Each structure stands twice: as structure tokens, then as C-alpha cells.
Amino acid sequence: MSTFTHINTQGEANMVDVSTKQDTVREARAEAFVTMSPKTLNMIVSGQHHKGDVFATARIAGIQAAKRTWDLIPLCHPLLLSKVEVSLTPIMERNQVRIESLCKLSGKTGVEMEALTAASVAALTIYDMCKAVQKDIVIEQVRLLEKCGGKSGHFIAK
């Protein structure tokens, strides 16, 4: 079993020193699902939402969040992301929006947290923009889908 990397020998939380690591290309993808009523989803998809383009706003929020992950999650390193993508796909038969994020860089540490933050904040933005229409929207299944690069190698969720 691996050890926690953010805990020092005294059991205290600390930022991992990555100064001696080699730069490698690193990439991570994450997803989240937002479930809502058919009426709310139709309002978003048809462009009839009174607050404007929900998907465009959520996409921008997710990208911005990925860039600010170090500011939100304690002990995360500030990263120079080379790519952030956030895609939103309505799944009409399940009354859901699937959000998928992709983060990439060439650096000393992974981008899993950035991808997860992007998907999470995009989902929260959908909730924020739609809460006046529906309060019981559910955000679920936020998870890492894949990561590659670095010492720990390639991971693909099952």
C-alpha cells in the first residue's frame, strides 16, 4: 500500500517537494453528472434560460477553476496548465448533463486535482444558474476518469 504523500514524518500536513522531479507531460480527465427535471434541462438546451447560456458559463467557470485549483485546495502546487477543456453533454433520456474535463501540462506534478476541480465547479455553476428554477438538482459521480504521466503511470477508471 502506498503512503500519503502530504503527511511528513511527524504526521503533519505539508506540501510535497517536487523540485527534484523531472518534467513530464501529464494529463488527467474527470467527470461529473448533474441530474435535473426534464423541464429544467429542456430550458437549458433550448436556450430559454433567463440567465443566458448555462453551458457556456459553466464551461468558462470550469476552466477558470482548473487554473485556480492551487488557490482552492490546500497543499496543491500552482501549475502552468497548457490545456484545459470542459465539455458538457445533455443526456435527455436521463435528465442529466455529463461534464467532462481535461487538463494537461508538462511539469513536475499531476493535474488530477485540476481536472476534478474543473468538473466540480462546472457542475456547481449549472446548479447556481438553475437554482431559481429548481432547487433539488443533484450533482453526483464526480470522479477521475484517467490520468497519465509521472512516476505512478497510467490510470484508467473502471
Side-chain angles (χ1 to χ4, degrees), residues 12-158:
E12 303 164 333
N14 70 335
M15 188 178 212
V16 174
D17 181 2
V18 296
S19 60
T20 60
K21 287 180 150 187
Q22 294 297 314
D23 283 359
T24 60
V25 174
R26 296 158 184 265
E27 189 173 304
R29 292 184 311 111
E31 74 178 350
F33 289 87
V34 183
T35 305
M36 61 196 72
S37 73
K39 176 185 170 193
T40 303
L41 184 55
N42 283 323
M43 188 182 300
I44 293 169
V45 171
S46 68
Q48 300 303 309
H49 196 286
H50 68 281
K51 288 191 175 182
D53 189 337
V54 174
F55 284 0
T57 305
R59 185 176 302 106
I60 292 167
I63 292 167
Q64 285 299 107
K67 292 166 38 177
R68 298 301 301 258
T69 299
W70 65 273
D71 218 10
L72 300 168
I73 308 292
L75 311 179
C76 278
H77 293 85
L79 301 179
L80 293 172
L81 296 169
S82 58
K83 181 177 186 69
V84 179
E85 255 179 36
V86 177
S87 63
L88 297 100
T89 306
I91 306 170
M92 304 305 283
E93 61 276 7
R94 290 179 26 203
N95 301 313
Q96 288 184 323
V97 176
R98 180 179 182 267
I99 300 162
E100 184 174 331
S101 63
L102 166 72
C103 292
K104 187 175 181 179
L105 60 63
S106 178
K108 297 174 183 295
T109 188
V111 291
E112 298 93 333
M113 292 310 302
E114 287 70 15
L116 288 161
T117 300
S120 299
V121 170
L124 289 167
T125 301
I126 291 172
Y127 184 92
D128 181 52
M129 291 187 74
C130 297
K131 67 183 183 243
V133 175
Q134 182 184 352
K135 301 235 184 303
D136 63 346
I137 294 169
V138 176
I139 296 169
E140 55 194 341
Q141 235 176 302
V142 178
R143 69 182 185 137
L144 182 67
L145 293 173
E146 182 177 13
K147 76 107 194 141
C148 58
K151 186 173 74 173
S152 64
H154 196 170
F155 164 83
I156 299 176
K158 296 178 182 174

